[in-house]
Amino acid sequence: MDVKLPHLGEGADSGVVVGILVKVGDTVKKGQILIELESDKAVAPIPAPAAGKVVKIHVREGQRVGVGQ
């Protein structure tokens, strides 16, 4: 399963990764926070949409990511 950045709210289409809270090999539960993303308005926790195992992380701290990425 790939995790895509969900819609963040009105007027917010991207943000900067300020924290990655999992590592490769971790088992995660549905709803567990994976990353923290800072937008123009606030820092938002991004949860796992389903349970699973982290096999690869495609973003790094400080990287700007957009909705759907």
Side-chain angles (χ1 to χ4, degrees):
M1 161 187 54
D2 285 335
V3 177
K4 306 275 185 197
L5 185 64
H7 182 67
L8 301 171
E10 190 173 324
D13 60 354
S14 68
V16 175
V17 177
V18 293
I20 299 173
L21 307 178
V22 296
K23 61 184 181 303
V24 172
D26 286 355
T27 299
V28 298
K29 297 177 183 176
K30 181 179 180 178
Q32 181 177 340
I33 305 305
L34 302 174
I35 67 170
E36 294 177 315
L37 192 78
E38 183 175 32
S39 68
D40 293 337
K41 298 180 181 181
V43 174
I46 306 300
K53 186 174 185 177
V54 178
V55 294
K56 188 171 184 179
I57 298 175
H58 296 275
V59 297
R60 65 186 184 287
E61 288 185 9
Q63 179 180 352
R64 178 166 292 277
V65 293
V67 171
Q69 186 174 353

